[in-house]
Amino acid sequence: PSPSSYFEKLNLHPRIREVAEERFMDGYHWDAVFAASKALMNYVKERSGSDKDGAKLMYEVFSRTSPILAVNDLKDQTDHDEQEGVMHLCVGAALAIRNPGGHSFPEGSEQRALEYISLMSTLA
């Protein structure tokens, strides 16, 4: 089955689903990825109150030592490592997924687009 047949079965974050579903189902897979990545950035800005964007936003908001948004209680080394890991995932999403969509017209498989959208949902 094609990846499109799985889209509706995914339990995507509502903010991601709202911007990506119609685009993806209409065959605009990479427009859906770009929309999902922008939705993630906007969601992080709203939740954090930060006016930064892209990688700078993610470094500030998910900082290992003084995060605006903590993903756990930051009570031990493992928690701090997890916080830093999420920060790097979010920075990677900004640099490797959102930025190419803003500066060019990325292409790839429908499967990869679905995976990227799922990642944006997970991070949200």
Side-chain angles (χ1 to χ4, degrees), residues 46-99:
E46 289 171 23
R47 296 274 321 268
S48 68
S50 178
D51 62 351
K52 292 188 171 128
D53 191 43
K56 289 179 183 177
L57 170 72
M58 298 310 190
Y59 279 124
E60 174 189 59
V61 171
F62 295 106
S63 163
R64 175 186 179 95
T65 55
S66 56
I68 295 171
L69 298 177
V71 299
N72 57 47
D73 294 332
L74 299 171
K75 65 181 188 279
D76 57 26
Q77 182 66 40
T78 300
D79 284 357
H80 285 276
D81 290 347
E82 180 184 20
Q83 181 72 32
E84 183 177 3
V86 169
M87 177 193 71
H88 287 296
L89 287 170
C90 290
V91 168
L95 296 174
I97 299 172
R98 199 244 355 219
N99 284 1

Side-chain angles (χ1 to χ4, degrees), residues 4-67:
S4 293
S5 65
Y6 293 106
F7 195 96
E8 292 178 354
K9 296 175 186 173
L10 295 174
N11 186 23
L12 296 175
H13 188 280
R15 296 288 290 269
I16 303 303
R17 181 178 292 283
E18 178 183 334
V19 300
E21 184 171 25
E22 187 175 335
R23 288 173 174 89
F24 189 88
M25 297 306 283
D26 285 347
Y28 300 103
H29 306 121
W30 290 92
D31 285 344
V33 169
F34 187 44
S37 66
K38 290 187 294 184
L40 174 64
M41 296 299 143
N42 290 338
Y43 188 54
V44 171
K45 285 179 187 182
E46 289 171 23
R47 296 274 321 268
S48 68
S50 178
D51 62 351
K52 292 188 171 128
D53 191 43
K56 289 179 183 177
L57 170 72
M58 298 310 190
Y59 279 124
E60 174 189 59
V61 171
F62 295 106
S63 163
R64 175 186 179 95
T65 55
S66 56

